[in-house]
């Protein structure tokens, strides 16, 4: 009798583990690691540019665009793309299937409740023919679609790019760019991302507040509030708070890094690195925290052409050296633009709150985390250890509240 029971239990356990946890390939882990290094180098590169205010990039999506270049390129055009991913030694076929697996895993709406709509498009001049094999494999690996532009009509090119981005994000994105180079290949990532909290903010706990862009400039917006037990660290030496809030099923989390008071983020950016983040993560402890976050959407467009060039992608962007002949069958293409555009919506949505800790000692004397001034944030994936987003909120959307002298 007990043998049958045991057999049943074993059978059930095997069935459960087969459906619940998909084991990732070794290679996907390596690529996720490469994307984390890319996160910090790209962030720092963008932060150098004084005209850039908000920053928002998805390193895993940039990684897939580099994979696309490796697919379409030959020789050093392709190998430079792989090097930036720290994947110089990875075989091509493995690179493409590893990146496909990584992105499919982290953007799966079923297991993660996430709203993450990613549209990738490759544009080329109408004079160029895209090779069938490239069209097929870039669709299969990178969900990339393809389109042609009239080289001599920039105005309508810009218009059709912006319209495509708006349509593919269900109206969340309004503008990718005001200008393009139409004579080459152009990669565009258009995304809409909305985190789904592991435990929701109550939609009634939202009110009108102000966000201090600087000491003398306030923007009016809504803030959402909630008290809970979160990983938290008060870095007294650097006068910063670090807070990590889990997203659905704790498969990923949003990590906020915020100075105590309103100040330009340069001081924090000087110490921000992959190693520093690891140090902070190790020091975090479950803490009662009263969290207030802006309930806003950010719409950020970056041209990554120059940053990627500075990180080592020098051949693809050079008309005389680029070899993208796996795309067109000829050495007649160079990479003229890379646009990376995201609408990011911070909202109250999430799974049910476990209210059993309310009114207990665990939530006594909560620390305050009041995000009403510029901060840096990352969406970190627990399962793959990749960085889904890295960015900074410096100037959220909203009306100017007041300007003091
Ligand atoms: C991944 O594979 C490499 C080479 O096959 C091996 O050296 C390494 O230990 C593996 N890593 C993990 C995490 O399994
Ligand atoms: C979240 O995902 C789980 C499955 O992982 C599903 O059962 C649940 O309905 C989802 N909840 C929401 C609010 O989307
Ligand atoms: C491309 O644009 C130019 C300038 O607007 C126009 O004269 C030409 O007819 C267009 N070509 C095509 C194929 O639409
Ligand atoms: C790219 O070109 C190389 C060399 O001609 C070829 O071996 C390879 O199969 C091509 N890749 C694709 C995806 O067409």
């Amino acid at each position: 009798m007990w043998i049958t029971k045991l057999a049943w239990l074993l059978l059930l356990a095997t069935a459960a583990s087969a459906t619940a946890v998909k084991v990732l390939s070794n290679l996907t882990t390596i690529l996720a690691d490469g994307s984390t290094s890319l996160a910090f180098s790209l962030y720092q590169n963008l932060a150098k540019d004084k005209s850039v205010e908000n920053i928002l990039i998805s390193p895993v999506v940039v990684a897939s665009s580099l994979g696309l270049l490796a697919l379409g390129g030959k020789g050093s055009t392709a190998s430079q793309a792989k090097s930036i991913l720290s994947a110089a030694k990875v075989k091509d076929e493995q690179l493409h299937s590893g990146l496909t697996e990584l992105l499919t895993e982290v953007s799966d709406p079923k297991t993660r409740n996430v709203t993450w709509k990613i549209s990738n498009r490759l544009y080329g001049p109408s004079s160029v023919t895209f090779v069938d094999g490239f069209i097929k494999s870039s669709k299969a690996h990178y969900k990339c679609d393809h389109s042609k532009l009239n080289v001599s009509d920039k105005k309508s090119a810009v218009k059709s790019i912006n319209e495509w981005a708006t349509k593919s994000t269900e109206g969340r994105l309004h503008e990718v760019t005001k200008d393009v180079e139409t004579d080459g290949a152009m990669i565009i990532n258009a995304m809409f991302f909305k985190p789904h909290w592991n435990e929701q903010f109550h939609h009634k706990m939202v009110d009108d507040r102000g966000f201090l862009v600087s000491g003398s400039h306030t923007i009016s917006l809504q803030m959402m509030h909630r008290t809970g037990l979160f990983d938290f660290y008060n870095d007294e030496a650097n006068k910063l708070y670090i807070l990590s809030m889990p997203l659905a099923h704790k498969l990923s989390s949003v990590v906020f890094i915020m100075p105590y008071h309103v100040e330009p983020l340069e001081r924090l950016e000087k110490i921000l690195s992959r190693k520093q983040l690891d140090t902070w993560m190790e020091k975090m402890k479950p803490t009662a925290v009263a969290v207030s976050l802006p309930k806003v959407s950010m719409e950020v467009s970056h041209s990554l052409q120059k940053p990627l060039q500075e990180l080592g992608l020098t051949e693809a962007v050079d008309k005389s050296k680029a070899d993208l002949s796996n795309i067109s069958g000829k050495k007649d293409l160079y990479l003229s633009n890379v646009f990376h555009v995201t609408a990011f919506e911070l909202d109250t949505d999430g799974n049910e709150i476990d209210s059993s800790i309310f009114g207990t000692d665990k939530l006594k004397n909560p620390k305050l985390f009041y995000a009403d001034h510029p901060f840096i944030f990352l969406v970190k994936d627990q399962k793959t250890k990749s960085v889904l987003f890295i960015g900074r909120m410096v100037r959220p959307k909203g009306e100017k509240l007041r300007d003091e002298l």
Side-chain angles (χ1 to χ4, degrees):
M1 179 65 191
W2 67 272
I3 292 182
T4 351
K5 252 190 190 161
L6 188 66
W8 263 111
L9 279 175
L10 278 175
L11 201 67
L12 282 175
T14 323
S17 64
T19 50
V21 189
K22 200 168 83 218
V23 178
L24 295 166
S25 71
N26 187 339
L27 188 73
T28 300
T29 315
I30 294 170
L31 291 170
D33 190 72
S35 80
T36 306
S37 304
L38 182 63
F40 290 94
S41 48
L42 263 183
Y43 181 98
Q44 294 292 3
N45 196 293
L46 288 167
K48 271 193 326 199
D49 182 345
K50 295 289 169 249
S51 68
V52 170
E53 292 193 313
N54 297 329
I55 291 180
L56 191 53
I57 34 179
S58 170
V60 288
V61 171
V62 177
S64 80
S65 292
L66 289 166
L68 182 70
L69 276 177
L71 184 70
K74 281 186 194 169
S76 39
T77 300
S79 62
Q80 284 184 342
K82 288 167 77 174
S83 295
I84 298 177
L85 282 176
S86 323
K89 295 207 179 78
V90 177
K91 288 208 182 71
D92 282 351
E93 201 38 56
Q94 288 185 318
L95 175 81
H96 305 313
S97 58
L99 286 170
T100 309
E101 185 184 27
L102 177 59
L103 208 56
T104 309
E105 166 62 40
V106 297
S107 62
D108 182 2
K110 281 205 197 77
T111 52
R112 292 167 177 261
N113 294 120
V114 68
T115 305
W116 191 2
K117 191 149 183 7
I118 308 169
S119 301
N120 301 313
R121 181 172 262 195
L122 179 79
Y123 283 96
S126 44
S127 56
V128 167
T129 320
F130 293 142
V131 174
D132 276 349
F134 174 79
I135 290 186
K136 281 201 194 91
S137 45
S138 58
K139 264 191 187 142
H141 287 300
Y142 300 112
K143 297 205 176 98
C144 177
D145 77 1
H146 309 79
S147 186
K148 298 285 178 58
L149 291 172
N150 182 344
V151 179
S152 40
D153 192 354
K154 280 197 185 187
K155 222 170 133 192
S156 65
V158 168
K159 189 161 170 269
S160 76
I161 290 166
N162 289 336
E163 281 173 358
W164 166 77
T166 304
K167 195 160 163 244
S168 55
T169 54
E170 286 150 17
R172 260 67 175 217
L173 283 178
H174 299 94
E175 187 176 270
V176 170
T177 182
K178 288 184 167 49
D179 191 21
V180 284
E181 292 304 324
T182 47
D183 61 343
M186 174 170 16
I187 297 176
I188 307 187
N189 315 123
M191 293 180 274
F192 171 53
F193 184 87
K194 186 172 179 177
H196 187 95
W197 305 105
N198 189 50
E199 295 188 333
Q200 64 196 189
F201 282 71
H202 200 292
H203 67 273
K204 283 186 184 141
M205 299 276 286
V206 171
D207 56 10
D208 294 325
R209 300 284 175 114
F211 185 98
L212 295 137
V213 174
S214 66
S216 60
H217 185 156
T218 308
I219 279 172
S220 96
L221 45 61
Q222 289 196 310
M223 296 275 272
M224 50 191 186
H225 315 275
R226 127 169 180 67
T227 300
L229 212 51
F230 302 109
D231 282 336
F232 180 79
Y233 176 60
N234 177 1
D235 181 344
E236 289 180 10
N238 289 310
K239 298 190 169 57
L240 307 166
Y241 298 120
I242 328 289
L243 169 76
S244 173
M245 295 186 72
L247 298 185
H249 315 296
K250 300 191 176 173
L251 288 171
S252 57
S253 57
V254 186
V255 178
F256 298 91
I257 311 164
M258 183 176 75
Y260 286 174
H261 306 291
V262 57
E263 64 171 287
L265 290 174
E266 277 100 329
R267 181 180 70 84
L268 165 51
E269 283 161 351
K270 278 203 185 102
I271 54 171
L272 180 73
S273 66
R274 183 173 182 173
K275 198 158 158 261
Q276 179 62 60
L277 183 70
D278 288 343
T279 308
W280 282 326
M281 300 302 283
E282 278 162 23
K283 289 186 174 167
M284 287 205 289
K285 286 203 172 62
T287 309
V289 190
V291 179
S292 299
L293 297 179
K295 180 181 171 301
V296 284
S297 61
M298 283 170 89
E299 196 183 320
V300 187
S301 176
H302 293 296
S303 166
L304 296 184
Q305 179 88 338
K306 205 162 137 262
L308 287 174
Q309 185 178 357
E310 287 176 11
L311 295 182
L313 197 77
T314 56
E315 302 252 312
V317 299
D318 184 328
K319 277 183 205 179
S320 65
K321 291 185 181 153
D323 186 350
L324 292 171
S325 53
N326 269 351
I327 297 181
S328 59
K330 284 191 225 137
K331 217 178 145 182
D332 58 356
L333 260 185
Y334 81 110
L335 184 68
S336 58
N337 304 269
V338 180
F339 291 112
H340 190 78
V341 214
T342 314
F344 188 100
E345 199 171 310
L346 275 177
D347 207 338
T348 56
D349 301 2
N351 292 334
E352 285 301 315
I353 294 188
D354 169 13
S355 53
S356 66
I357 61 165
F358 289 123
T360 69
D361 277 357
K362 283 185 181 158
L363 291 188
K364 249 170 90 178
N365 304 323
K367 304 279 180 211
L368 292 185
F369 185 89
Y370 199 87
D372 71 343
H373 54 280
F375 56 86
I376 292 176
F377 62 97
L378 293 98
V379 183
K380 277 185 67 134
D381 189 51
Q382 310 299 351
K383 185 168 174 186
T384 62
K385 310 281 179 229
S386 57
V387 177
L388 309 186
F389 280 95
I390 184 169
R392 69 180 181 200
M393 188 182 288
V394 169
R395 186 189 295 274
K397 245 190 268 179
E399 296 289 309
K400 200 198 270 184
L401 204 60
R402 59 171 181 268
D403 244 342
E404 284 146 15
L405 287 177

